[in-house]
Amino acid sequence: MESIKIDGSPKTPEVNFDYQTGLIEIKGRSIPENSIEFYKPMIDWLEEYTNSPQDKTTVQIQLEYFNTSSSKCILDVFKKLEGISKNGKEIEINWYYEEDDEDMLEAGEDYQSIIRIPFKMIEIEE
Amino acid sequence: MEEKKIYSFSSDVIDYDSVNEALSSISNIIDTMHFPSQLRRGLYMISAECFDNMYKHSQKVLSDFPVFFEIFYCRDEIRFVASNPVSTKSAQKIQTYLRFINYLSDEELKSHYFTTIKTEKKTKKGGAGLGLLILKRKTNCPFEYNFEQKSKKTTIFTLVLKLSLKSMKLYRISETEHTPLIQFDFKHENIVMYGQSRPEDADGFYIDICNWIAENESDFAAMERPVLHVDLDYYNSSSLKNLVRFIRVVIQHSAPSLKIEWTCDSDDELAMDDAQEISRIVKKKFVLLEK
């Protein structure tokens, strides 16, 4: 399986989906013009990954800001991961937020209450 | 205090580039206002969400009416006004939905948000319902709105969002040409002072502030590790004794853990001397920071 590597931009996050290491990273801002189009390759990748996932998948989400339409796409990413976890593979989700960013912490907690995988909330010092 | 318009956008057409341009100038304006970082992010987020909605609507409705977005600021409130044409048919639906959202308690809003994000179908235009829910969760006041039917097909939808700084425990005395910005952020336990201090009536200006501090002493007492940060470019001699008065009152009403940070130019010996002198008078060590 090929990896996904997308550089970050002021409107879109940096994305790293690495099959060999089972590492999934989304970092930065997510306010793309068309969220569905932007996240589609990631959803497709996960769809394929579900068939032969690594024993352990590590997910690093470090978002500074995301808009409403991205929030649904990010939920779709988590839904796919939830499916893999249901098949008995280990999924570790690390949700990073800046020290005083209560909104981002809350957003992580919101996802955690929808997805049946525990999140590790990690505070980044400014 | 009078309300001030801090940002204004108006255009007949709205495309992705103009949205980007608008958001980056909003971001610059917010940065110059010295708001706490959480509020800065909140303001940006609300603006981005409003523009997202306006952009999506403008693609659906072709009309001769402009789209506009404005941000107003007054002492304890920030107000956003977003206006755009929508189809008369959808206006009714939006109105019903807004009324419904306003009616929900915080807890109900949260659970409705979960239901919506889980079930709402994604469309290319994105779910406006979800956007409104997020905006409602980010602001702490009910939505105000207005619908004005212009033709059989087109209605102008205006949405007013308010952020109450008071409920965030944030109090500001805005900067003027002669007086500094003084911001009391009780939630994040810091007080900042920026700008210049050469008021016409320095005694009057600072006595008012000291009285206000005394009236709000419980908020001061509740701060566990307060920080007072002073960063003045210039102050006149009549302000100097008032700065002492102000700092004394802050010390008097704050926990002993209060930290005072004083910023000045390292090559400005006079300013350094003043800082040390004030520190000696108020009997409190300052952390001197270089500009």
Side-chain angles (χ1 to χ4, degrees):
Chain A
M1 241 183 109
E2 280 193 26
S3 295
I4 304 182
K5 210 171 161 54
I6 307 170
D7 286 337
S9 82
K11 306 282 154 186
T12 55
E14 174 191 333
V15 178
N16 281 311
F17 280 30
D18 189 284
Y19 180 72
Q20 294 305 327
T21 56
L23 181 71
I24 288 172
E25 273 185 319
I26 304 178
K27 284 182 179 176
R29 280 187 180 188
S30 182
I31 36 174
E33 182 172 10
N34 187 333
S35 306
I36 299 170
E37 206 174 279
F38 182 78
Y39 281 92
K40 190 172 184 299
M42 291 174 243
I43 305 293
D44 292 346
W45 189 94
L46 285 166
E47 185 79 51
E48 204 187 328
Y49 183 73
T50 307
N51 299 326
S52 54
Q54 302 291 354
D55 289 336
K56 183 180 175 178
T57 306
T58 308
V59 184
Q60 314 267 37
I61 310 284
Q62 187 175 334
L63 290 165
E64 194 189 317
Y65 170 75
F66 58 90
N67 62 1
T68 305
S69 45
S70 299
S71 72
K72 272 212 83 90
C73 299
I74 295 165
L75 180 65
D76 289 343
V77 168
F78 286 136
K79 286 269 177 205
K80 292 279 175 221
L81 293 165
E82 192 183 31
I84 299 168
S85 156
K86 273 185 193 149
N87 291 335
K89 300 285 183 184
E90 189 187 345
I91 305 281
E92 181 188 297
I93 301 181
N94 297 310
W95 182 272
Y96 293 86
Y97 64 99
E98 272 182 46
E99 207 179 349
D100 63 345
D101 194 351
E102 287 154 36
D103 289 340
M104 200 45 81
L105 171 63
E106 197 183 44
E109 287 168 350
D110 284 353
Y111 280 123
Q112 181 168 226
S113 61
I114 300 175
I115 304 295
R116 276 177 224 101
I117 311 173
F119 279 41
K120 209 193 258 178
M121 301 295 177
I122 303 169
E123 189 178 295
I124 321 161
E125 284 189 28
E126 275 174 272
Chain B
M1 201 188 114
E2 254 182 59
E3 192 174 63
K4 207 167 110 188
K5 193 190 276 183
I6 56 172
Y7 178 76
S8 170
F9 172 93
S10 173
S11 176
D12 291 339
V13 279
I14 178 165
D15 56 22
Y16 194 62
D17 287 338
S18 57
V19 170
N20 281 345
E21 212 176 289
L23 287 177
S24 76
S25 45
I26 290 172
S27 169
N28 289 338
I29 292 166
I30 296 170
D31 282 348
T32 60
M33 295 195 73
H34 298 293
F35 286 123
S37 53
Q38 201 195 347
L39 179 58
R40 282 211 291 262
R41 281 190 289 260
L43 294 178
Y44 182 82
M45 189 255 144
I46 291 168
S47 307
E49 217 53 65
C50 287
F51 270 102
D52 220 32
N53 282 337
M54 294 188 301
Y55 173 62
K56 279 165 193 158
H57 276 135
S58 72
Q59 310 230 304
K60 281 188 230 172
V61 185
L62 288 171
S63 85
D64 300 329
F65 302 102
V67 167
F68 76 82
F69 179 75
E70 288 171 335
I71 308 175
F72 297 89
Y73 164 70
C74 82
R75 193 165 184 160
D76 47 21
E77 188 178 272
I78 294 171
R79 200 158 55 90
F80 304 82
V81 181
S83 181
N84 59 275
V86 295
S87 73
T88 299
K89 217 169 114 196
S90 64
Q92 192 58 43
K93 272 191 210 157
I94 301 172
Q95 192 164 0
T96 311
Y97 195 58
L98 288 169
R99 217 179 277 151
F100 167 69
I101 295 178
N102 268 347
Y103 178 74
L104 298 176
S105 70
D106 288 355
E107 273 312 304
E108 289 166 336
L109 191 65
K110 193 168 175 174
S111 88
H112 184 65
Y113 165 77
F114 286 155
T115 320
T116 311
I117 195 170
K118 276 190 278 189
T119 55
E120 193 179 80
K121 277 215 176 84
K122 263 186 325 195
T123 60
K124 210 174 168 194
K125 306 285 182 204
L130 197 59
L132 288 171
L133 281 173
I134 289 185
L135 283 172
K136 187 67 183 63
R137 288 185 77 192
K138 297 292 168 196
T139 52
N140 42 22
C141 300
F143 284 149
E144 284 171 23
Y145 47 85
N146 184 50
F147 291 88
E148 191 185 337
Q149 190 171 342
K150 292 288 187 187
S151 71
K152 211 173 163 191
K153 279 187 171 168
T154 315
T155 293
I156 304 292
F157 165 40
T158 308
L159 181 63
V160 181
L161 304 166
K162 286 178 182 170
L163 257 184
S164 154
L165 302 187
K166 228 176 191 166
S167 70
M168 294 175 153
K169 294 224 156 267
L170 183 74
Y171 301 87
R172 286 165 65 94
I173 295 157
S174 290
E175 192 171 6
T176 70
E177 204 187 324
H178 305 287
T179 58
L181 162 76
I182 306 178
Q183 177 172 280
F184 301 91
D185 181 0
F186 292 117
K187 202 170 159 197
H188 300 99
E189 308 201 335
N190 71 62
I191 304 161
V192 294
M193 192 171 197
Y194 284 106
Q196 302 209 6
S197 181
R198 43 186 182 93
E200 259 177 56
D201 173 19
D203 288 346
F205 178 76
Y206 283 96
I207 285 171
D208 281 352
I209 293 165
C210 292
N211 289 341
W212 184 87
I213 294 173
E215 280 161 26
N216 292 276
E217 57 181 355
S218 59
D219 284 327
F220 281 83
M223 293 193 283
E224 285 174 19
R225 276 184 216 84
V227 177
L228 166 65
H229 184 89
V230 182
D231 184 353
L232 292 174
D233 295 327
Y234 174 77
Y235 45 85
N236 59 10
S237 52
S238 60
S239 290
L240 194 57
K241 73 166 198 259
N242 278 296
L243 281 171
V244 172
R245 192 198 309 245
F246 168 75
I247 291 166
R248 265 201 181 128
V249 174
V250 172
I251 294 173
Q252 189 194 336
H253 290 91
S254 303
S257 58
L258 172 74
K259 189 169 144 191
I260 301 182
E261 295 175 343
W262 193 283
T263 306
C264 52
D265 270 329
S266 55
D267 52 1
D268 186 348
E269 280 182 32
L270 273 175
M272 295 283 263
D273 286 349
D274 282 348
Q276 276 157 2
E277 181 67 8
I278 298 173
S279 159
R280 196 184 54 77
I281 300 172
V282 300
K283 299 191 184 68
K284 177 99 190 163
K285 220 174 155 193
F286 289 1
V287 179
L288 290 178
L289 303 172
E290 285 180 25
K291 256 186 208 181

